[in-house]
Amino acid sequence: MGVLDGVRVVEMGLWVAGPAAGGVLADWGAEVIKIEPPKGDPMRSLFGALSGSKETRCPPFDLYNRGKRSVAIDVNTPDGRDLAERIIASADVFLTNFRPGFLERVNLDHKHLREAHPHLIYASLTGYGLEGPDRDAPGFDVAAFSARGGVADRSTPPGDAPTTLAGGMGDTVTGMTTVAAILAALLARGRTGEGQLVSTSLLRTGAYCIGMELSTRVALGKLAPPPSRVRPQNPLMNSYADRDGAWFWLMGAEADRHWPGIKAAADDPRLDEERFATARGRRKEGSDLVAILDEAFARRTRAEWAEVFAEHEVWWTPVNTASDLIEDPQAQAAGVFVDVPGADGASGATGGGDDPSRSVATPVAFESGSVPVAGPPGIGADTDAVLAEIGVDAGEQQSLREAGVVAGPLSS
């Protein structure tokens, strides 16, 4: 049993942010029913959609949708919309990242569903929020979270083009934000018996992620420029490369405390110059100090520096590539990865890759244990079973299938 055993969630989401939230809830033991179009969530064919690749399997889809049940319904039809509402009425939570205007058009918006089903927690995840002139603008995370939310600008050194964050980063952060909101609403409903609307957006989450700097700008009218590696505020809290070009970060946040160890480890006589003797001096002479440290750290490999840093109690960390992270023994010990039986073929063809059953774990462990991780569902794999649970008999199911309202494998 997972910590959310007994909680029923209906998710109507596409791509990443909404399904990521539902995926965490499923990993934690909730029953998550994914309502998707008859042709499936387009995320299933992500690589073909982005680049024309012939790759039919989509591991990111598998990550965000494992352990769910799939019901394929065309909610653009009156019968499909009614079926969706009947399924939603059986749930504790309705989770969606569809645009507000579309949900209003198919009568699955929060005003209608909350009035009709007072127990329901309605979780809305949008690009730009439920109100405002751009509420229905396309809300991919590169747009709403990264670009408009200020994250890309604050991550870009002065003079450079806006940086591109890792794919889906804003989506997954906003998905976790939505999970937190849902859990808070479930806790409140336990006291009051009433559901409620909880809403977040990629824009609002992005702004909160740069809140350390944004709050300073709002309150004090001041904002330092984005950090520059060659002109840092603190050269001891900066990235450097080894002899082979492998990067690492020094973590000398307390400049005076960490300076002696870093100076001893780097072992360059130029670091004894009086201008580097204080934190203020090192900040003023930051460009020169970085240049000296660049030369010093290029003399050894990162593995060799690990031994030197340990000797001098230097705080540091490697900058892992994805391949490095997969092999990192600490990442393995921390539970970063998980085996997912049955993942092959759920979003496409079987096989391929180094380990088709290996995936990324959701980022929380519970002392009470976790439910076994199951693979993602095929399109409409649970349509018949879920419709039967809400009282739709076999004859009506067949009629709906013939009319194109629902899709999925026929019952055996």
Side-chain angles (χ1 to χ4, degrees):
M1 292 178 60
V3 292
L4 295 181
D5 184 68
V7 175
R8 190 178 224 201
V9 178
V10 173
E11 170 207 304
M12 197 167 81
L14 301 174
W15 296 108
V16 179
V24 172
L25 297 171
D27 258 21
W28 294 356
E31 177 194 8
V32 180
I33 299 171
K34 180 182 181 71
I35 296 178
E36 55 185 322
K39 292 185 178 181
D41 182 340
M43 183 71 178
R44 291 178 180 270
S45 55
L46 171 68
F47 300 121
L50 287 179
S51 62
S53 169
K54 294 182 180 179
E55 177 61 62
T56 55
R57 187 176 171 213
C58 180
F61 175 86
D62 298 351
L63 167 62
Y64 301 129
N65 291 279
R66 64 191 180 213
K68 299 178 184 178
R69 307 171 75 191
S70 170
V71 178
I73 300 176
D74 184 357
V75 298
N76 290 288
T77 66
D79 287 342
R81 192 221 71 83
D82 290 343
L83 282 176
E85 182 167 354
R86 288 170 65 182
I87 297 170
I88 293 166
S90 72
D92 299 289
V93 179
F94 177 53
L95 163 64
T96 183
N97 67 332
F98 278 68
R99 301 185 209 182
F102 172 80
L103 293 166
E104 290 168 359
R105 180 169 64 79
V106 298
N107 213 28
L108 295 175
D109 58 291
H110 65 91
K111 293 179 181 177
H112 168 74
L113 290 181
R114 282 284 301 116
E115 181 177 356
H117 310 289
H119 75 286
L120 186 68
I121 293 165
Y122 190 112
S124 169
L125 192 165
T126 59
Y128 297 100
L130 293 173
E131 306 293 338
D134 295 327
R135 68 173 195 150
D136 286 312
F140 291 104
D141 76 337
V142 69
F145 176 92
S146 180
R148 199 160 182 179
V151 178
D153 178 72
R154 298 308 301 168
S155 304
T156 303
D160 288 359
T163 191
T164 300
L165 303 181
M169 180 182 294
D171 288 321
T172 51
V173 171
T174 308
M176 289 297 297
T177 301
T178 305
V179 169
I182 289 170
L183 298 182
L186 284 169
L187 182 64
R189 194 183 68 175
R191 295 193 300 266
T192 67
E194 287 289 319
Q196 61 179 295
L197 167 69
V198 296
S199 62
T200 188
S201 65
L202 293 165
L203 175 64
R204 186 166 175 174
T205 306
Y208 188 75
C209 284
I210 60 167
M212 186 171 182
E213 296 169 328
L214 190 58
S215 63
T216 303
R217 173 62 181 84
V218 170
L220 302 180
K222 299 178 180 179
L223 186 63
S228 166
R229 197 193 79 82
V230 297
R231 293 185 298 278
Q233 295 286 318
N234 177 4
L236 310 189
M237 190 79 173
N238 200 26
S239 57
Y240 296 93
D242 77 350
R243 185 177 66 196
D244 299 326
W247 289 87
F248 59 90
W249 268 90
L250 291 181
M251 305 300 294
E254 299 175 63
D256 286 330
R257 174 187 173 189
H258 292 112
W259 173 241
I262 292 173
K263 185 174 71 167
D267 191 23
D268 189 302
R270 291 173 292 177
L271 300 179
D272 291 322
E273 295 176 14
E274 183 63 26
R275 59 183 176 142
F276 299 137
T278 66
R280 184 174 183 180
R282 292 189 293 274
R283 176 179 176 181
K284 182 179 178 181
E285 302 292 336
S287 295
D288 286 353
L289 180 53
V290 168
I292 293 171
L293 291 175
D294 277 340
E295 290 182 25
F297 291 135
R299 295 169 187 153
R300 290 187 171 100
T301 67
R302 196 163 67 181
E304 291 169 338
W305 281 118
E307 297 181 5
V308 175
F309 290 160
E311 178 184 352
H312 294 285
E313 299 184 344
V314 173
W315 293 7
W316 76 287
T317 189
V319 177
N320 276 346
T321 65
S323 296
D324 292 336
L325 181 58
I326 291 169
E327 300 300 328
D328 190 324
Q330 184 57 47
Q332 295 174 20
V336 171
F337 303 102
V338 65
D339 288 319
V340 186
D344 286 5
S347 58
T350 60
D354 296 329
D355 189 349
S357 67
R358 197 75 166 148
S359 190
V360 181
T362 49
V364 175
F366 296 94
E367 183 181 12
S368 58
S370 302
V371 296
V373 178
I379 300 171
D382 305 285
T383 298
D384 295 343
V386 172
L387 293 186
E389 290 168 8
I390 62 169
V392 180
D393 62 32
E396 186 180 356
Q397 288 186 34
Q398 184 62 29
S399 297
L400 291 166
R401 192 181 305 276
E402 292 173 353
V405 175
V406 302
L410 293 169
S411 298
S412 57

